[in-house]
Amino acid sequence: MAVDTSTTTITTAPSHPEGCEGSGGEAVRPLLSGAPAVEEDEDLDVRYAPYARRDAYGPMGRGPLPAAQVARLVVATAVLLPLRLIAGVLLVVAYYLVCRVCTLFAEVGEEGRPRLHGWRREAVLGAGRALSRAMLFVFGFYWIPVSDRSIPNAEDVPEDQSEELERPGAIVSNHVSYVDVLYHMSASSPSFVAKNSVSKLPLIGLISKCLGCIFVQRESKGSDSRGVSGAVTERVQEVSQFKNSPMLLLFPEGTTTNGDYLLPFKTGAFLARAPVQPVILRYPYRRFSPAWDSMDGGRHVFLLLCQFANYMEVVRLPVYYPSEQEKEDPRVYAYNVRKLLATEGNLVLSNLGLAEKRVYHAALNGNSPRALHQKDD
């Protein structure tokens, strides 16, 4: 399956918020250097639309609430929140114990990662899927409808791959919330890219090693340190060639949105020239949006756990097999996959990124965003 990119029209669509793309092309990125501390003449939620919250709690989750909603929140804090916290901790501990048992007397590879085979691997992956789904249930995602379009049509597969389909090397998904990870774990038990410090965390460290996560030292610029792109490319190639390698989950946007937009894709997932499995996640809501866009983590988790029912919809698209042109140019490959997700998921393309997200957060807090430009990711 490939999308034609022989022509790309860059225009500004007046019907969409600034910094976003309609069906015709992309709008101009807001100028960071001239962004004021607090925007008075322009609506921040329009200018930085991919990160704007439109639920009942408003920007940063600090909006005024009606008395009925406040009463529900008080009751949920007293009853629902502690039950869900306890259940969540117990599920994490249970998975840690499974991983601890499965790694007893197991060989240890590079970075302290245990080499799991046979029943050990099946137990870790099976428990991960079951306990992740249980965690989603605890979080209020009782029913998750999945639209599975993952069987490709014959005409969508390049001729040179029609006889023997290559295994996808990575799952490529839009990024809306930390809940995304729980769904993908419950569906396919993939591995992830994580900071090196994650491997040293209590409980989570062992779990991440058993899942085969890639640990990277992003702060190191030395030539002896593997870059993120190099580590991802190596793993994607390995997964595509060996069936027993855990599939890699990648969020090419690099940050989260409010779920209505799709940011530019980084090319790391597409450098290996291997097929990818596109997945679209959506979070319909009534009062509180599970999207983690412009709210601090603690407040977001609190409100998520205090909402009795949360909703998620999943669309699994056919495996995307790159054309020869896409294999030669990962930027074309990334663009085409992004365009496909936007079309199938009814998402608006935006050319904003993490830098603009920081500017938006700074403006919401009444701070000058200029200092943020001096900081690394």
Side-chain angles (χ1 to χ4, degrees), residues 21-332:
E21 176 183 303
S23 58
E26 296 192 12
V28 178
R29 176 191 299 265
L31 296 177
L32 301 183
S33 59
V38 179
E39 295 198 30
E40 298 177 353
D41 298 332
E42 296 186 42
D43 186 352
L44 282 173
D45 289 349
V46 173
R47 188 173 178 84
Y48 300 101
Y51 314 117
R53 293 192 70 83
R54 299 181 176 86
D55 62 6
Y57 292 87
M60 308 295 287
R62 300 170 182 169
L65 297 175
Q69 180 61 23
V70 172
R72 281 194 292 264
L73 198 57
V74 170
V75 173
T77 303
V79 179
L80 198 58
L81 179 64
L83 292 177
R84 284 180 165 175
L85 284 175
I86 293 172
V89 171
L90 290 177
L91 288 173
V92 173
V93 171
Y95 195 26
Y96 169 80
L97 293 176
V98 170
C99 292
R100 176 58 67 188
V101 171
C102 291
T103 53
L104 290 175
F105 310 111
E107 296 181 31
V108 179
E110 60 178 6
E111 299 178 338
R113 186 182 293 113
R115 295 175 178 173
L116 303 178
H117 306 282
W119 68 269
R120 298 174 187 267
R121 174 177 168 78
E122 293 301 322
V124 168
L125 297 183
R129 286 191 291 267
L131 293 175
S132 296
R133 185 61 188 93
M135 184 72 81
L136 286 169
F137 189 90
V138 168
F139 282 9
F141 295 92
Y142 307 119
W143 174 254
I144 302 177
V146 178
S147 175
D148 194 347
R149 311 173 196 169
S150 58
I151 302 177
N153 297 321
E155 59 270 19
D156 292 332
V157 181
E159 294 182 0
D160 57 348
Q161 294 178 346
S162 58
E163 295 183 1
E164 183 178 354
L165 298 181
E166 188 178 0
R167 184 191 183 204
I171 299 170
V172 173
S173 174
N174 62 320
H175 201 9
V176 185
S177 174
Y178 47 83
V179 182
D180 301 350
V181 175
L182 285 176
Y183 168 74
H184 287 293
M185 283 191 63
S186 70
S188 52
S189 296
S191 56
F192 313 92
V193 177
K195 290 184 178 181
N196 211 24
S197 57
V198 173
S199 65
K200 301 177 177 62
L201 292 176
L203 305 181
I204 302 300
L206 178 62
I207 292 174
S208 61
K209 290 178 181 178
C210 288
L211 289 174
C213 291
I214 298 175
F215 301 113
V216 295
Q217 190 68 34
R218 296 184 181 179
E219 296 80 6
S220 177
K221 304 296 183 180
S223 59
D224 58 339
S225 177
R226 285 197 308 169
V228 178
S229 296
V232 168
T233 300
E234 181 180 326
R235 174 60 64 83
V236 171
Q237 291 174 336
E238 177 185 331
V239 173
S240 182
Q241 297 173 6
F242 303 102
K243 294 183 178 180
N244 290 331
S245 297
M247 193 174 295
L248 190 63
L249 171 63
L250 297 171
F251 299 108
E253 295 171 281
T255 189
T256 55
T257 69
N258 59 17
D260 296 328
Y261 294 80
L262 201 61
L263 306 181
F265 278 8
K266 300 180 185 300
T267 58
F270 309 96
L271 294 172
R273 304 180 175 184
V276 295
Q277 171 67 69
V279 178
I280 302 168
L281 302 180
R282 291 191 288 249
Y283 293 85
Y285 63 90
R286 295 177 181 175
R287 287 185 294 272
F288 173 75
S289 169
W292 190 24
D293 36 37
S294 60
M295 189 183 303
D296 66 84
R299 185 186 298 270
H300 193 277
V301 172
F302 168 76
L303 293 175
L304 181 75
L305 295 182
C306 286
Q307 183 159 264
F308 179 74
N310 292 295
Y311 304 93
M312 178 193 297
E313 297 174 352
V314 181
V315 178
R316 296 181 62 85
L317 299 177
V319 174
Y320 192 105
Y321 293 90
S323 65
E324 289 302 320
Q325 179 190 11
E326 291 168 328
K327 289 180 179 180
E328 294 300 323
D329 191 342
R331 292 174 299 178
V332 174

Side-chain angles (χ1 to χ4, degrees), residues 9-13 19-22 24-28 264 335 338 349-351:
T9 304
I10 308 298
T11 61
T12 301
C20 303
E21 176 183 303
E26 296 192 12
V28 178
Y335 178 87
R338 177 179 176 238
L349 293 177
S350 170
N351 66 350

